[in-house]
Amino acid sequence: MSPKQIRGMNDVLPDAAVTWRHLESIVRDVVESYGYREIRLPVVEYTDLFKRSIGEVTDIVEKEMYTFQDRNGENLTLRPEATAGMVRAGITNGLLHNQRQKLWTAGPMFRYERPQKGRYRQFHQFDVEALGYAGPDVDAELIIMCARMWARLGLSRLDLEINSLGSDTARQDYRAELVRYFSAVKNRLDDDSIRRLDQNPLRILDSKNPEMQEVVAGAPVMLDFLDPESAEHFSELQRLLDAAGVGYRVNPRLVRGLDYYNRSVFEWITDALGSQGAVCSGGRYDGLVEKLGGRPTPAIGWAMGMERLVGLYEACGGRAPAADPHVFIVAAGQAALAAGFGLAEQLRDGIAGIRIELNLGGGSFKAQLKRADKSGAAYALVLGEAELAQRTVGLKPLRSDADQENVAMDKVVARLAKVPELA
Ligand code: ATP
Ligand code: MG
């Protein structure tokens, strides 16, 4: 019986991996061009870290975490997101003592959700965090950085929504008002929302249940409760985005699925991926470092869903540069194969970035040329007894009608360096 694959956990096959790598490298380049540095974190943390940061009454902590006990009885969880681990690393490594940090990390995250297009149980995030920055300048820069990424990737169909969740105190007042509102319409709430009414009413605004949308639409909005400092912070963010020419829509009902956010929150959404429209989401979490035991440190970050980014890239007609071999070496016979090995190494030495496939496993000229064609290579280099005797090699274009050319063995590197694919 063949082995089973876990639902919602996907392989990224070689053709797709080419696209992933292309996108990852562009995202990395852009983020590093703003001074962010990579940090690599464990995939597993103590369960408690996520409970304390994400919040007990959230979808993630209530029902989506992959939690287990290790052999020592420790309660551990596969990370559902990266911010908690990032903050933990900042504290445990002393990275936040009188220092500011601009960091990025990337990798798999795990949530036990209902798998569907754009929503998986193992998915991948690219995550950026600025620790020690109170904003709103850094808030604006993090968003402008996204806009630059979309431009570099040729993505359209992305809209920016922003909101402010204000200070903790302002949110308390708002919360009380929300409880009043939702209590009055309790008969129209679903079970999840009724449960949240007491514990975490803001979460109700983030309900994904279509039947809840109307009730949610009538709810009071946070923006009417903002404290003056947060209101000024939010205005300044908007002024900076305006000045930078980044368009946005203020969505007063935008809250995030995690508890630690305050002030600026934002989401880049697309209509190109069906109902899984959030491609990149972020926000400010000024209280989290202190809550997890560090010194008070303002911070903000965003996380991008790589599966959704890849989906949008393809929906926008994006195609990663091919990773097919440039050259396939056809070598018939033992002596030719030995010469082929030498030639392949010589080319790899001589032309940076060249991709060469040497025919392995023998076969007739005809069979090897068929493989060469199938490999996607632009050229075949043909080595047979006749070529060996003359110390030449046949250069055969595979993607055009141009004739095969005989090239002296010691001129092959120079000749290939001139072909358009390698120039
Ligand atoms: P959603 O509203 O779609 O559930 P979220 O608010 O839970 O998203 P975050 O926790 O902020 O998302 O994660 C940041 C990004 O990670 C999202 O914008 C999305 O692109 C991606 N993401 C989140 N959950 C998943 C998942 N289960 N599968 C694939 N991508 C995901
Ligand atoms: Mg979610």
Side-chain angles (χ1 to χ4, degrees):
M1 207 174 72
S2 44
K4 282 205 297 187
Q5 181 166 15
I6 302 175
R7 203 160 105 82
M9 302 203 180
N10 300 312
D11 304 307
V12 177
L13 299 179
D15 280 344
V18 172
T19 306
W20 279 68
R21 281 201 3 185
H22 178 61
L23 301 194
E24 283 160 0
S25 80
I26 289 179
V27 171
R28 205 165 47 225
D29 280 359
V30 170
V31 161
E32 295 195 338
S33 78
Y34 287 77
Y36 287 77
R37 296 189 304 159
E38 184 179 10
I39 182 168
R40 300 191 180 200
L41 304 167
V43 171
V44 186
E45 298 275 357
Y46 285 112
T47 304
D48 187 54
L49 176 72
F50 300 115
K51 288 191 175 168
R52 281 166 61 198
S53 55
I54 295 167
E56 298 263 11
V57 193
T58 56
D59 279 346
I60 294 180
V61 171
E62 279 179 335
K63 50 190 185 198
E64 294 176 357
M65 294 204 299
Y66 280 87
T67 294
F68 60 98
Q69 286 197 343
D70 73 3
R71 289 170 189 281
N72 194 31
E74 305 276 19
N75 239 311
L76 307 181
T77 293
L78 299 184
R79 63 181 182 193
E81 54 98 50
T83 306
M86 191 82 101
V87 170
R88 195 273 309 141
I91 297 171
T92 51
N93 295 290
L95 302 181
L96 305 174
H97 289 166
N98 306 316
Q99 299 173 69
R100 309 194 291 181
Q101 297 286 347
K102 289 158 103 180
L103 302 170
W104 69 265
T105 197
M109 309 292 156
F110 302 84
R111 296 182 194 176
Y112 194 82
E113 299 202 68
R114 193 168 68 77
Q116 51 198 294
K117 184 168 176 280
R119 190 175 296 285
Y120 309 100
R121 290 182 174 171
Q122 173 172 330
F123 62 100
H124 298 78
Q125 282 184 345
F126 194 100
D127 184 85
V128 176
E129 314 284 349
L131 299 144
Y133 295 81
D137 48 3
V138 73
D139 308 34
E141 194 188 60
L142 277 165
I143 289 172
I144 291 166
M145 182 159 93
C146 292
R148 171 168 294 276
M149 255 165 11
W150 313 146
R152 278 279 309 270
L153 291 166
L155 300 183
S156 50
R157 301 175 76 174
L158 270 164
D159 291 319
L160 172 64
E161 293 194 345
I162 61 175
N163 191 20
S164 176
L165 300 180
S167 68
D168 288 349
T169 337
R171 228 167 27 261
Q172 287 312 318
D173 296 344
Y174 175 53
R175 192 192 138 109
E177 194 58 31
L178 268 186
V179 172
R180 260 196 293 284
Y181 168 80
F182 283 122
S183 301
V185 292
K186 201 165 172 180
N187 56 336
R188 295 168 65 196
L189 301 185
D190 61 12
D191 291 347
D192 266 349
S193 303
I194 288 175
R195 208 158 29 84
R196 293 196 169 150
L197 190 50
D198 299 326
Q199 295 162 304
N200 197 345
L202 260 79
R203 288 266 62 72
I204 302 178
L205 300 176
D206 198 34
S207 168
K208 303 271 192 293
N209 181 353
E211 284 160 27
M212 289 284 302
Q213 297 315 308
E214 204 182 315
V215 187
V216 166
V221 296
M222 180 63 221
L223 288 180
D224 293 334
F225 291 79
L226 281 191
D227 51 295
E229 293 78 15
S230 294
E232 176 50 32
H233 194 276
F234 193 45
S235 305
E236 180 60 15
L237 169 60
Q238 292 175 65
R239 272 194 291 277
L240 289 169
L241 291 178
D242 290 339
V246 175
Y248 56 87
R249 189 173 84 85
V250 174
N251 172 1
R253 286 188 181 78
L254 179 67
V255 290
R256 311 275 310 104
L258 305 84
D259 268 2
Y260 48 64
Y261 289 111
N262 67 304
R263 290 199 170 162
S264 317
V265 289
F266 57 91
E267 216 158 66
W268 289 92
I269 49 181
T270 181
D271 62 3
L273 299 175
S275 47
Q276 269 45 261
V279 175
C280 177
S281 328
R284 182 160 279 290
Y285 51 93
D286 294 330
L288 184 60
V289 177
E290 187 178 17
K291 189 170 177 196
L292 293 178
R295 297 181 202 173
T297 306
I300 179 169
W302 53 248
M304 187 158 64
M306 290 306 295
E307 283 79 2
R308 295 184 192 178
L309 186 71
V310 169
L312 179 59
Y313 181 70
E314 286 169 350
C316 291
R319 267 184 67 86
D324 292 336
H326 300 106
V327 174
F328 189 105
I329 300 182
V330 167
Q334 261 183 356
L337 179 62
F341 268 102
L343 181 60
E345 293 308 324
Q346 215 186 322
L347 286 167
R348 291 186 185 110
D349 284 342
I351 305 177
I354 193 170
R355 291 185 298 273
I356 300 175
E357 190 168 339
L358 172 63
N359 181 77
L360 300 175
S364 65
F365 262 124
K366 198 170 157 227
Q368 294 195 29
L369 275 171
K370 236 171 139 174
R371 279 186 196 141
D373 193 46
K374 205 170 157 221
S375 75
Y379 296 88
L381 280 177
V382 181
L383 270 170
E385 272 163 33
E387 284 81 6
L388 282 188
Q390 298 168 16
R391 305 224 22 91
T392 63
V393 50
L395 175 64
K396 184 176 166 56
L398 295 172
R399 311 293 149 197
S400 75
D401 294 333
D403 289 336
Q404 178 166 330
E405 200 182 307
N406 274 346
V407 182
M409 198 67 112
D410 56 0
K411 298 272 172 4
V412 179
V413 172
R415 175 66 188 86
L416 268 180
K418 281 204 222 101
V419 307
E421 288 80 0
L422 289 166

